[in-house]
């Protein structure tokens, strides 16, 4: 092999190795598993200490008085207690976070408790994403009765 070809091969190998090293170190810290509650409860020991995003429904939401500490359960469906992950969180929660809210929580499973990181709760408000039923009938001039409207009132 000529001297020029050796230099090209070594440069290519070095660049490829540097690229793999950067990808490995970046992915190692930032990788999170997205799991349903049922998947977490099936083998909780396997997920112990791992960074996770858990999808489910909030239940039995409790807040410590005069603090922002929350303790609640994440269940696989509304009203179900078949698959449950106990969760703790300290911080401000979204306005739509309440019992039966669909949530995605980010944190780490430590033992049998899911510790959620700051700003690690996302709550979905189903009414914002589902089509509203039609109001029914119009009142004179195309106006809608105030009791049937969901808009602002004076």
């Amino acid at each position: 092999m000529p001297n020029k070809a050796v230099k090209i091969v070594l440069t290519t190998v070095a660049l490829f190795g540097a690229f793999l090293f950067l990808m490995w170190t970046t992915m190692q810290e930032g990788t999170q598993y997205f799991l349903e509650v049922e998947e977490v409860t099936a083998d909780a020991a396997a997920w112990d200490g791992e960074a996770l995003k858990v999808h489910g429904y909030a239940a039995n939401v409790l807040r410590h008085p005069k603090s922002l500490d929350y303790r609640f359960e994440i269940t696989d469906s509304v009203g179900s207690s078949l698959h449950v992950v106990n969760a703790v969180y300290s911080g401000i929660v979204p306005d739509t976070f309440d019992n039966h809210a669909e949530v995605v929580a980010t944190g780490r499973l430590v033992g049998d408790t899911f510790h959620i990181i700051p700003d690690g709760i996302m709550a979905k408000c189903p009414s914002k994403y589902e089509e509203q039923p039609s109001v029914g009938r119009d009142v004179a001039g195309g106006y809608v009765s105030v009791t049937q409207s969901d808009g602002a009132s004076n």
Side-chain angles (χ1 to χ4, degrees):
M1 237 191 239
N3 195 21
K4 188 175 184 180
V6 172
K7 288 180 182 179
I8 291 174
V9 169
L10 289 176
T11 303
T12 304
V13 169
L15 288 175
F16 186 70
F19 176 74
L20 285 177
F21 175 75
L22 288 174
M23 288 297 293
W24 176 259
T25 57
T26 302
M27 297 296 283
Q28 209 169 17
E29 292 178 18
T31 303
Q32 294 178 338
Y33 295 97
F34 185 90
L35 301 171
E36 299 292 330
V37 173
E38 182 178 350
E39 295 171 301
V40 175
T41 58
D43 190 10
W47 302 112
D48 193 28
E50 294 286 338
L52 303 174
K53 284 188 182 236
V54 178
H55 173 259
Y57 296 87
N60 301 321
V61 177
L62 301 172
R63 185 177 67 86
H64 192 273
K66 298 183 181 180
S67 76
L68 296 175
D69 296 336
Y70 290 84
R71 185 174 50 203
F72 59 97
E73 297 173 345
I74 304 173
T75 62
D76 57 341
S77 63
V78 176
S80 171
S81 61
L82 183 60
H83 302 285
V84 175
V85 173
N86 295 314
V88 293
Y89 176 70
S90 184
I92 298 173
V93 296
D95 292 341
T96 55
F97 179 75
D98 201 4
N99 284 318
H100 309 298
E102 185 175 359
V103 297
V104 175
T106 304
R108 291 192 183 277
L109 189 65
V110 178
D112 63 347
T113 304
F114 189 62
H115 295 267
I116 301 170
I117 64 171
D119 296 326
I121 294 181
M122 292 184 290
K124 178 181 172 187
C125 178
S127 63
K128 290 184 179 181
Y129 306 105
E130 295 175 358
E131 183 178 349
Q132 296 293 322
S134 61
V135 175
R137 62 172 204 257
D138 291 341
V139 182
Y143 288 89
V144 177
S145 171
V146 175
T147 59
Q148 295 177 347
S149 171
D150 63 343
S153 60
N154 294 340

